[in-house]
Amino acid sequence: MPSVKAQSSDGEIPEADVEVAKQPVTIKTMVEDLRMDDAGGNDLVPLPNVNAAILKQVIPRCTHHKDDPPPPEDDENKEKRTDCVSVWDQELLKVGQGTLFELILAANYLDMKGLLDVTCKTVANRIKGKTPEELPKTFNIKNDFTEEEEARVRKENQWCGEK
Amino acid sequence: MAAMETEAAPLTLESLPTDPLLLILSFLDYRDLINCCYVSRRLSQLSSHDPLWRRHCKKYWLISEEEKTQKNQCWKSLFIDTYSDVGRYIDHYAAIKKAWDDLKKYLEPRCPRMVLSLKEGAREEDLDAVEAQIGCKLPDDYRCSYRIHNGQKLVVPGLLGSMALSNHYRSEDLLDVDTAAGGFQQRQGLKYCLPLTFCIHTGLSQYIAVEAAEGRNKNEVFYQCPDQMARNPAAIDMFIIGATFTDWFTSYVNNVVSGGFPIIRDQIFSRYVHDPECVATTGDITVSVSTSFLPELSSVHPPHYFFTYRIRIEMSKDALPEKACQLDSRYWRITNAKGDVEEVQGPGVVGEFPIISPGRVYEYTSCTTFSTTSGYMEGYYTFHFLYFKDKIFNVAIPRFHMACPTFRVSIARLEMGPDEYEENDSGDMDESDEEDEEERRRRVFDVPIRRRRCSRLF
């Protein structure tokens, strides 16, 4: 079975079956443009923006979802739901925020719409229902508003009845 | 739940690149989006990214691209403006607005007079004033609908449909909120009931219970049906036709716009419900039936359930010309819920002997009553060929079922002593001693739904 080797940012070389490896559009483009799939399998696909740990999570997901139909085009009129993350993906994504965000970055860089979608939905689910006080704590975000800015934001959004 | 993790290289929500961050925000509801505005400058800026608000404008307020262009505003500001006006109804608005839009679009070419009779929406102050007048709160979904249109002028044809028989005519107008308030009931038997519709001919109204009382659930919509045997004017039985205003209104609109109710001479002949499976074809002739329940001519006490049925007889336009025929007689087999059968035979239909030829449609209306809450009819017509008068044949009429809506017996009756009402001789009120006290108290006769029945009434 033809395989492709990817070289992560920290030098490791996880190997993956070429069909699986071609799921990330970035890799697919590289592989096809550089005609790596008909080479001897010794060429490396460099992925300087993705570390090995993340790549090791991305590859099993690609394998698991390799027969999935391509995700539908974003329909402006369709309801955007976050409850349709498959159980397998939910398990994969029971990770800390840091890892989750790294997965998002990887999916973004590798142009993997499916993975990007589920990771973003997962983060969205963690935002839902939290108050403006809980959000900075959960996501470790510093409030960088000045007093005037904060007052302005409050005023602009008082129509919503919160805070 | 995300733990409060600290990462060695702090990758936070904030530090994600814009595209994925916008994707995350696109999954949030408007409230969560606003909450994000309070967190940091970057989140605030991105949460206000206008395309994110397009989805919410469409979902909650049904605002179209055209409307946005006309108003020359950005999506977020449109959302806020609409929220400031009708935000209190945000949970109901889309369903009710859609119902109104669909209804008007359907009626404009078919019943233009009816659309012209619709009044413009009431103001919040007007609705508050009515609440003060009647001493009760109006349901939110009712208010939402009345913000869009304040009923119609008291004219014919009524928005809530018409019904015509040889000697009986009903046309139900949607009342404006002030007229409705004038009809707000305080008397025993109809406490806290606000009329939704009114018919000038029959004086009949559909009511909504604005508070729970006398065995009614809050927000139920019903036809009243005085208990004629109770000798107590507070004994009013009820045919329930909606669990809430939204349920009542949207079901009605769906029936109209799906073509479920025939439009005849620019009136909606509502309550005629046709089950598309209720059709029988014999040779080139197809017979189909729609039925309707008439609460104003029915009663629970004594049990007398009045139905009309409208029959459509048509011959395929591809039939050969020599198939033209004339109806001679009808045969009916009428069965009630107890299994009692009545047979009726007679010449013609409603005094006529229609000729059916290729492409021709003949329709007529007749009626029947049952002493049980449901029943069915079936039968056949006998025809002779126009050009071969001796050749006769039967054309089947599909079996059609009729059942009255769920009704609820008045509390007054349940609380009466035995000498306060006439004995009722029908068998369908099960007054056995073994009956649960609880059951007796809340006697809601749920009429069994048959999958194939011809009449989903109301």
Side-chain angles (χ1 to χ4, degrees):
Chain A
M1 205 173 295
S3 67
V4 166
K5 293 202 191 99
Q7 181 165 42
S8 67
S9 61
D10 38 359
E12 285 193 34
I13 307 175
E15 199 164 312
D17 169 61
V18 72
E19 283 313 308
V20 168
K22 272 165 68 166
Q23 271 191 34
V25 175
T26 310
I27 297 186
K28 179 173 194 282
T29 314
M30 280 191 210
V31 164
E32 287 173 358
D33 283 354
L34 304 177
R35 313 256 248 146
M36 284 183 181
D37 41 5
D38 53 21
N42 288 323
D43 289 316
L44 294 178
V45 178
L47 297 173
N49 288 355
V50 188
N51 73 33
I54 294 297
L55 208 49
K56 282 183 180 148
Q57 298 201 31
V58 169
I59 289 173
R61 190 193 184 266
C62 290
T63 311
H64 187 261
H65 287 272
K66 71 179 183 335
D67 295 321
D68 281 4
E73 274 307 307
D74 204 17
D75 183 356
E76 272 303 311
N77 294 322
K78 259 187 79 177
E79 171 107 32
K80 275 206 144 186
R81 302 180 56 161
T82 56
D83 52 0
C84 41
V85 177
S86 76
V87 176
W88 194 93
D89 282 336
Q90 281 179 44
E91 281 304 308
L92 172 74
L93 297 171
K94 274 185 181 159
V95 290
Q97 271 183 47
T99 313
L100 194 53
F101 294 143
E102 294 214 32
L103 282 169
I104 291 180
L105 286 186
N108 192 39
Y109 171 70
L110 295 170
D111 197 359
M112 297 173 69
K113 192 170 186 316
L115 181 61
L116 192 58
D117 251 24
V118 297
T119 45
C120 287
K121 280 180 188 172
T122 306
V123 177
N125 280 334
R126 297 185 187 186
I127 296 177
K128 282 184 179 185
K130 293 209 166 58
T131 65
E133 291 79 24
E134 291 167 334
L135 283 171
K137 288 192 194 129
T138 307
F139 292 101
N140 217 6
I141 301 176
K142 195 167 173 319
N143 181 333
D144 56 354
F145 287 123
T146 65
E147 264 193 53
E148 299 91 49
E149 284 173 339
E150 182 132 23
R152 185 171 49 82
V153 168
R154 201 166 298 169
K155 186 156 187 275
E156 270 174 11
N157 294 307
Q158 66 189 39
W159 59 270
C160 196
E162 310 268 275
K163 204 163 174 139
Chain B
M1 247 290 292
M4 283 190 271
E5 281 197 331
T6 44
E7 295 293 312
L11 238 197
T12 64
L13 183 65
E14 262 246 299
S15 59
L16 285 176
T18 305
D19 281 345
L21 196 40
L22 283 178
L23 182 59
I24 293 172
L25 294 176
S26 76
F27 289 114
L28 296 179
D29 194 20
Y30 72 96
R31 282 199 183 278
D32 296 308
L33 214 50
I34 293 297
N35 286 342
C36 287
C37 284
Y38 290 102
V39 178
S40 71
R41 280 186 190 153
R42 183 154 186 254
L43 277 182
S44 185
Q45 182 207 11
L46 289 179
S47 301
S48 302
H49 182 61
D50 209 51
L52 289 175
W53 290 90
R54 182 163 170 263
R55 189 173 294 271
H56 298 302
C57 280
K58 290 192 169 193
K59 174 181 172 183
Y60 288 105
W61 311 129
L62 305 185
I63 300 178
S64 64
E65 302 279 356
E66 295 79 29
E67 233 186 294
K68 175 202 187 270
T69 318
Q70 255 179 20
K71 293 199 171 158
N72 201 19
Q73 275 180 280
C74 70
W75 289 110
K76 188 177 182 193
S77 121
L78 261 180
F79 186 91
I80 296 175
D81 280 357
T82 317
Y83 190 96
S84 308
D85 184 25
V86 284
R88 127 177 217 181
Y89 310 117
I90 195 164
D91 294 332
H92 305 284
Y93 190 85
I96 297 200
K97 179 88 178 24
K98 180 170 193 305
W100 275 113
D101 288 347
D102 290 347
L103 185 63
K104 287 189 288 187
K105 184 166 165 206
Y106 185 85
L107 293 180
E108 243 139 41
R110 296 169 176 87
C111 308
R113 279 193 294 156
M114 214 182 280
V115 180
L116 289 172
S117 74
L118 291 174
K119 293 179 162 184
E120 66 170 25
R123 299 166 308 163
E124 285 294 301
E125 310 88 87
D126 303 328
L127 296 170
D128 294 339
V130 166
E131 285 185 347
Q133 182 189 336
I134 66 176
C136 287
K137 293 260 169 253
L138 296 166
D140 266 344
D141 51 359
Y142 175 98
R143 286 184 66 125
C144 181
S145 182
Y146 276 78
R147 284 296 315 274
I148 301 173
H149 280 292
N150 187 7
Q152 64 177 137
K153 298 186 196 134
L154 270 180
V155 289
V156 166
L159 191 73
L160 275 304
S162 307
M163 171 62 64
L165 294 178
S166 52
N167 57 350
H168 176 75
Y169 178 74
R170 167 184 66 166
S171 193
E172 296 186 81
D173 290 312
L174 183 67
L175 290 173
D176 67 66
V177 70
D178 291 296
T179 311
F184 183 66
Q185 296 293 326
Q186 296 286 40
R187 64 187 177 99
Q188 288 272 72
L190 278 183
K191 270 194 148 80
Y192 305 123
C193 292
L194 183 73
L196 289 171
T197 66
F198 182 71
C199 167
I200 335 176
H201 303 270
T202 60
L204 186 79
S205 278
Q206 298 182 45
Y207 286 91
I208 186 165
V210 298
E211 295 292 340
E214 300 174 329
R216 282 181 292 277
N217 295 327
K218 189 168 172 179
N219 297 329
E220 270 183 335
V221 180
F222 63 97
Y223 274 108
Q224 61 159 325
C225 184
D227 182 337
Q228 291 157 32
M229 296 161 71
R231 299 186 199 136
N232 174 356
I236 297 177
D237 300 321
M238 297 157 276
F239 289 108
I240 311 290
I241 45 181
T244 61
F245 178 88
T246 304
D247 175 40
W248 173 75
F249 188 64
T250 55
S251 325
Y252 178 74
V253 171
N254 285 338
N255 277 322
V256 173
V257 304
S258 63
F261 295 147
I263 309 263
I264 303 162
R265 293 186 306 275
D266 93 338
Q267 300 193 41
I268 303 170
F269 275 78
S270 69
R271 323 307 181 195
Y272 271 129
V273 183
H274 171 65
D275 175 352
E277 291 178 28
C278 195
V279 168
T281 303
T282 312
D284 300 297
I285 301 180
T286 302
V287 178
S288 54
V289 187
S290 329
T291 65
S292 174
F293 171 72
L294 259 58
E296 70 267 32
L297 297 178
S298 303
S299 61
V300 178
H301 298 100
H304 180 82
Y305 302 95
F306 193 105
F307 296 89
T308 73
Y309 51 88
R310 187 169 176 81
I311 304 205
R312 182 185 170 91
I313 307 173
E314 62 187 304
M315 185 180 283
S316 154
K317 58 176 169 50
D318 301 321
L320 298 170
E322 59 256 32
K323 294 288 186 176
C325 51
Q326 185 169 28
L327 193 150
D328 289 329
S329 66
R330 69 196 183 280
Y331 166 80
W332 283 115
R333 201 180 149 79
I334 303 162
T335 312
N336 73 10
K338 284 188 276 182
D340 303 329
V341 177
E342 190 192 338
E343 288 179 278
V344 173
Q345 248 180 332
V349 289
V350 293
E352 296 179 349
F353 298 87
I355 291 176
I356 311 292
S357 50
R360 174 116 201 273
V361 174
Y362 173 80
E363 286 182 302
Y364 76 95
T365 306
S366 186
C367 56
T368 189
T369 64
F370 289 102
S371 62
T372 58
T373 56
S374 65
Y376 60 90
M377 288 175 66
E378 60 205 326
Y380 57 83
Y381 299 117
T382 307
F383 281 81
H384 67 263
F385 283 110
L386 276 188
Y387 307 116
F388 301 97
K389 291 199 166 63
D390 297 330
K391 282 201 77 175
I392 64 170
F393 60 97
N394 290 342
V395 170
I397 307 171
R399 179 185 291 193
F400 55 98
H401 294 269
M402 289 154 278
C404 71
T406 308
F407 62 83
R408 200 165 289 142
V409 169
S410 71
I411 286 285
R413 172 172 270 269
L414 297 178
E415 288 167 356
M416 285 187 290
D419 53 326
E420 284 172 63
Y421 56 88
E422 294 165 30
E423 263 316 306
N424 136 18
D425 59 349
S426 110
D428 68 324
M429 273 183 69
D430 205 12
E431 312 228 278
S432 57
D433 293 324
E434 295 88 50
E435 227 176 329
D436 208 43
E437 192 54 44
E438 184 65 47
E439 245 279 285
R440 249 193 59 114
R441 292 201 166 285
R442 297 284 298 124
R443 209 173 300 189
V444 178
F445 285 79
D446 253 340
V447 179
I449 310 275
R450 287 192 195 77
R451 284 292 94 187
R452 289 180 62 89
R453 73 180 181 159
C454 232
S455 56
R456 205 228 25 99
L457 300 159
F458 302 114

